[in-house]
Amino acid sequence: AQSVTQPDIHITVSEGASLELRCNYSYGATPYLFWYVQSPGQGLQLLLKYFSGDTLVQGIKGFEAEFKRSQSSFNLRKPSVHWSDAAEYFCAVGAGYSSASKIIFGSGTRLSIRP
Amino acid sequence: EADIYQTPRYLVIGTGKKITLECSQTMGHDKMYWYQQDPGMELHLIHYSYGVNSTEKGDLSSESTVSRIRTEHFPLTLESARPSHTSQYLCASESGDLSYEQYFGPGTRLTVT
């Protein structure tokens, strides 16, 4: 069965510094991979997704992620974080079923920004 | 901008009460989902729907029930609320084009006392 691991529960970075959030997945076939962001008191917003093709995926808000099959990883990166990036970030893996796609979410990484 | 709404946003209710959490979307999406999320934890799928008159249980066992009488509406009901139901409930929708892109509502934070 597919699963997602986000090894970092909480990360703090300084504003303007670079960011990398780790994500490892377990899935037998080529996975569909996602990163979502959740601001306090809000629902989840899709940052980016990988289905196939170029392993470096660009998303919204200046985020990117790189799919590495050999490492079963899909790490999220941003070259320079802003205070507004403080939020909870969820990595997810999806599998297609007959009619409904089911997405498995990681436990999330909380990002704090140091002024 | 996704148009998916959940009401109420916050609810505090006593044990034994019947409650319905509302979820509506204006995008005409066929697929809808309910997730349960505890603080600092991952989302767990509790119900989903392919379309009108279609409902399925998700991966996490839940005492709640859902209905899908209209495309835009996917309410979740707890017949008798218990403290163990205290959690955040997130509704999501997805178009039927295999995009796998789910749009989430803001969530309902439920507290059962």
Side-chain angles (χ1 to χ4, degrees):
Chain A
Q2 62 264 39
S3 65
V4 180
T5 301
Q6 294 180 249
D8 302 307
I9 297 173
H10 184 205
I11 286 181
T12 301
V13 299
S14 298
E15 189 168 16
S18 64
L19 169 72
E20 183 169 29
L21 302 182
R22 296 183 292 164
C23 173
N24 293 99
Y25 68 89
S26 172
Y27 187 59
T30 300
Y32 301 134
L33 295 163
F34 309 84
W35 274 100
Y36 283 84
V37 60
Q38 184 179 31
S39 298
Q42 300 297 317
L44 276 70
Q45 181 184 21
L46 181 67
L47 283 176
L48 46 79
K49 61 185 177 185
Y50 171 79
F51 284 179
S52 64
D54 193 345
T55 56
L56 185 62
V57 180
Q58 302 296 321
I60 62 172
K61 305 185 180 186
F63 285 93
E64 66 177 27
E66 187 171 12
F67 170 58
K68 293 185 177 180
R69 184 188 301 276
S70 62
Q71 299 177 18
S72 297
S73 69
F74 189 56
N75 294 348
L76 181 72
R77 300 195 294 249
K78 187 171 184 177
S80 176
V81 297
H82 186 261
W83 64 266
S84 60
D85 293 325
E88 189 90 18
Y89 290 81
F90 292 91
C91 182
V93 60
Y97 290 73
S98 57
S99 299
S101 54
K102 295 178 71 175
I103 297 179
I104 307 299
F105 289 87
S107 56
T109 297
R110 184 160 61 96
L111 175 64
S112 297
I113 305 298
R114 190 184 302 118
Chain B
E1 188 75 20
D3 296 313
I4 180 164
Y5 309 98
Q6 290 185 244
T7 57
R9 293 292 309 277
Y10 303 92
L11 179 62
V12 180
I13 200 163
T15 298
K17 300 291 187 182
K18 177 180 179 179
I19 58 170
T20 296
L21 308 184
E22 301 288 349
C23 176
S24 296
Q25 50 97 5
T26 60
M27 298 170 282
H29 286 170
D30 288 326
K31 301 173 186 177
M32 295 190 75
Y33 306 83
W34 275 103
Y35 293 90
Q36 185 173 341
Q37 182 188 27
D38 292 323
M41 303 294 288
E42 63 265 47
L43 284 72
H44 292 287
L45 181 67
I46 52 176
H47 297 283
Y48 60 97
S49 168
Y50 305 153
V52 172
N53 294 325
S54 152
T55 60
E56 300 286 343
K57 289 189 178 295
D59 299 322
L60 181 68
S61 175
S62 173
E63 295 166 341
S64 58
T65 58
V66 293
S67 62
R68 189 88 183 275
I69 299 173
R70 303 198 317 266
T71 297
E72 62 270 22
H73 196 213
F74 191 41
L76 181 145
T77 298
L78 278 165
E79 290 293 333
S80 179
R82 295 209 301 264
S84 60
H85 296 139
T86 294
S87 189
Q88 171 150 269
Y89 293 84
L90 291 168
C91 180
S93 72
E94 179 190 336
S95 70
D97 62 358
L98 295 180
S99 69
Y100 295 92
E101 183 167 347
Q102 295 188 11
Y103 295 90
F104 282 80
T108 294
R109 186 166 295 281
L110 172 66
T111 302
V112 183
T113 60

